[in-house]
Amino acid sequence: MAFGRLERTSGPSPMSDINMTPLIDVMLVLLVIFMITAPLMTSSLKLDLPKTEGAQPNDAPQFISVALDLQGKLFFGDDAVDPAAFAARVADAARKNPRTEVQLRADKVCPTAAWPR
């Protein structure tokens, strides 16, 4: 014989929510660890590289900038120049480095008659 109640009550329903507190704690601990170790990793390799007498830096510009405004004024870089000085500067740049690139900036409505000959 069993003594007990006849009615059956179910236990508490299972929790369906995820407990985020342990996850956030682990994430913050990892963040602190990475913040401490990251600076140590960047300076861990010390090299004494050999010095060479290889290629010297070239002082000649790799490109020249030429601009022409609406009034027909020529600009070499940011300096306004007359056509004779412009031709001399371009010839000098070509003499220094024959592979010099020319970047041309001209006004949208610039007439073709304004171009130097």
Side-chain angles (χ1 to χ4, degrees):
M1 274 211 161
F3 295 103
R5 299 186 340 200
L6 294 177
E7 60 185 72
R8 294 238 186 239
T9 59
S10 63
S13 63
M15 240 173 70
S16 63
D17 294 337
I18 296 175
N19 190 0
M20 295 295 289
T21 305
L23 181 66
I24 293 171
D25 289 345
V26 169
M27 184 221 27
L28 290 175
V29 167
L30 287 174
L31 179 67
V32 169
I33 290 172
F34 286 132
M35 286 173 58
I36 292 171
T37 59
L40 299 175
M41 297 300 288
T42 58
S43 63
S44 63
L45 186 59
K46 304 263 190 248
L47 294 177
D48 185 21
L49 297 175
K51 307 288 188 267
T52 63
E53 297 296 326
Q56 298 295 326
N58 191 358
D59 294 336
Q62 297 301 318
F63 68 92
I64 58 173
S65 177
V66 176
L68 186 64
D69 68 357
L70 183 60
Q71 288 79 24
K73 289 173 59 176
L74 285 170
F75 293 89
F76 190 88
D78 290 333
D79 304 326
V81 293
D82 62 338
F86 173 77
R89 282 191 179 185
V90 170
D92 185 46
R95 196 176 318 107
K96 286 182 183 175
N97 185 1
R99 299 180 53 103
T100 300
E101 194 177 288
V102 177
Q103 295 179 352
L104 176 65
R105 298 176 308 166
D107 196 281
K108 182 177 180 182
V109 292
C110 181
T112 56
W115 287 91
R117 306 244 184 256

